[in-house]
């Protein structure tokens, strides 16, 4: 079941919407309820990975098409920036038009509690420039949460429950290009001011059913990625055929999280200092 959608014109302030498997629950979400939220996270940590939460607090949700996020290897004998410039040139040769910049970041939090002697799970808090009024939180193994940017303030108030993992912030920044119905973002992935890799995000804005457009997306990506075209993202492969991608970009963010997790384990690339 995908994240619950509500008519934003008729919403009440601080509505807490929870979608767990087949049940939908609505709660009034106020700052004083923050410790209840922590308890909820703890109790639902065993929920199915597909579970999701949406916290709407004066924030709009951007509808997205089918999106693929992948890591592109640095070209042999080239630096990260030179490889990025090569991708930009290929996109421009195709006729793509540059439309500003983008960024995606991810902070890691450790749960301080260790109930029942179980290893504490991680909470990843992410932001995306495409949804500047929203904040996404992905609890390790689910559930997922979408809130407005005030969630960052809430995390500060929960520092006795969640500790920020210093030095683990990862972000991808770069240029975004438009080519017909495709939106392409080529970013440099950095951690601690050092370049760790290159991310490419391709969104086909005209479709929300992965199975209906994946072959077209692969053909387009091959035109500038060559042999580095990825396979169907696992977030889509695990879904029943024909299931619509969610409109809150959570599928996209989970792909970035998977990429960032791989990047954290990589060594710093030669000449990877970022100014």
């Amino acid at each position: 079941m995908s994240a619950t959608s509500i008519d934003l014109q008729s919403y009440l302030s601080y509505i807490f919407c929870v979608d767990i498997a087949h049940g939908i629950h609505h709660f009034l979400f106020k700052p004083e309820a923050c410790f209840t939220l922590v308890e909820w996270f703890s109790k639902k940590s065993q929920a199915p990975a597909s579970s999701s939460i949406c916290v709407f607090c004066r924030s709009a949700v951007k509808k997205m098409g089918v999106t693929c996020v992948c890591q592109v290897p640095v070209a042999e004998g080239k630096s990260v920036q030179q490889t990025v410039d090569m991708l930009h040139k290929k996109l421009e040769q195709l006729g793509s038009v540059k439309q500003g910049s983008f960024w995606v970041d991810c902070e890691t939090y450790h749960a301080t509690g260790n109930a029942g002697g179980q290893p504490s799970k991680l909470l990843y808090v992410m932001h995306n420039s495409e949804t500047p009024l929203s904040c996404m939180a992905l609890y390790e193994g689910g559930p997922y949460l979408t809130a407005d940017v005030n969630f960052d303030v809430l995390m500060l108030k929960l520092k006795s429950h969640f500790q920020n993992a210093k030095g683990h912030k990862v972000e991808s920044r770069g240029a975004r290009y438009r080519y017909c119905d495709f939106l392409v973002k080529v970013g440099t992935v950095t951690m601690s001011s050092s370049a760790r890799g290159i991310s490419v995000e391709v969104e086909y804005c005209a479709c929300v059913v992965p199975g209906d457009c994946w072959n077209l997306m692969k053909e387009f990506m091959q035109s500038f990625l060559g042999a580095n075209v990825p396979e169907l993202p696992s977030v889509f492969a695990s879904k029943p055929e024909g299931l619509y991608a969610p409109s809150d970009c959570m599928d996209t963010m989970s792909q970035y999280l998977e990429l960032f997790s791989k990047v954290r384990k990589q060594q710093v690339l030669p000449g990877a200092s970022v100014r």
Side-chain angles (χ1 to χ4, degrees), residues 1-4 17-25 50-54:
M1 183 179 292
S2 62
T4 308
C17 302
V18 184
D19 170 3
I20 290 296
H22 301 293
I24 300 176
H25 309 280
S50 59
S51 302
S52 58
I53 316 166
C54 292

Side-chain angles (χ1 to χ4, degrees), residues 31-53:
E32 56 265 28
C34 61
F35 291 105
T36 302
L37 178 60
V38 174
E39 183 181 0
W40 189 91
F41 259 124
S42 301
K43 290 181 178 179
K44 296 301 182 181
S45 62
Q46 301 302 318
S50 59
S51 302
S52 58
I53 316 166

Side-chain angles (χ1 to χ4, degrees), residues 36-264:
T36 302
L37 178 60
V38 174
E39 183 181 0
W40 189 91
F41 259 124
S42 301
K43 290 181 178 179
K44 296 301 182 181
S45 62
Q46 301 302 318
S50 59
S51 302
S52 58
I53 316 166
C54 292
V55 179
F56 289 92
C57 175
R58 299 184 178 91
S59 65
V61 176
K62 174 186 179 293
K63 291 186 177 181
M64 303 183 73
V66 176
T67 304
C68 172
V69 178
C70 67
Q71 184 176 2
V72 177
V74 177
E76 186 175 356
K78 303 291 184 181
S79 66
V80 172
Q81 188 56 52
Q82 288 173 329
T83 304
V84 168
D85 291 340
M86 289 170 56
L87 291 172
H88 289 174
K89 185 176 181 180
K90 289 180 180 179
L91 286 168
E92 290 167 359
Q93 288 175 340
L94 288 173
S96 303
V97 178
K98 187 175 180 180
Q99 292 186 342
S101 59
F102 84 99
W103 54 265
V104 175
D105 66 23
C106 176
E107 298 237 29
T108 303
Y109 291 84
H110 296 278
T112 56
N114 192 10
Q118 296 293 325
S120 59
K121 292 191 174 184
L122 301 177
L123 175 64
Y124 303 98
V125 179
M126 306 181 71
H127 306 85
N128 189 333
S129 56
E130 292 294 315
T131 55
L133 299 180
S134 297
C135 173
M136 280 65 70
L138 294 84
Y139 201 62
E140 188 177 10
Y144 303 149
L145 179 149
T146 302
D148 75 0
V149 289
N150 287 330
F151 187 80
D152 290 320
V153 179
L154 177 62
M155 290 305 298
L156 293 176
K157 295 181 180 295
L158 298 177
K159 59 185 178 181
S160 61
H161 296 270
F162 292 100
Q163 289 291 327
N164 189 301
K166 302 297 183 182
H168 281 69
K169 181 176 181 179
V170 184
E171 64 178 6
S172 178
R173 290 179 178 268
R176 62 200 299 275
Y177 286 85
R178 170 75 67 173
Y179 178 78
C180 298
D181 288 326
F182 289 98
L183 183 61
V184 184
K185 303 171 189 173
V186 181
T188 301
V189 182
T190 60
M191 180 177 175
S192 301
S193 300
S194 297
R196 295 296 185 94
I198 301 168
S199 70
V200 171
E201 175 188 336
V202 177
E203 177 185 351
Y204 183 51
C205 305
C207 183
V208 293
V209 185
D212 289 351
C213 62
W214 180 245
N215 289 335
L216 177 62
M217 291 182 68
K218 283 185 66 175
E219 184 177 344
F220 171 67
M221 288 188 285
Q222 190 173 18
S223 64
F224 67 95
L225 292 181
N228 296 316
V229 175
E231 296 299 323
L232 180 71
S234 58
V235 68
F236 297 137
S238 61
K239 293 185 176 184
E241 181 65 25
L243 185 65
Y244 278 34
S247 61
D248 63 355
C249 83
M250 193 58 77
D251 280 353
T252 302
M253 299 307 281
S254 63
Q255 291 181 67
Y256 269 110
L257 179 58
E258 183 178 349
L259 187 153
F260 290 164
S261 297
K262 293 178 181 178
V263 163
R264 286 191 181 96

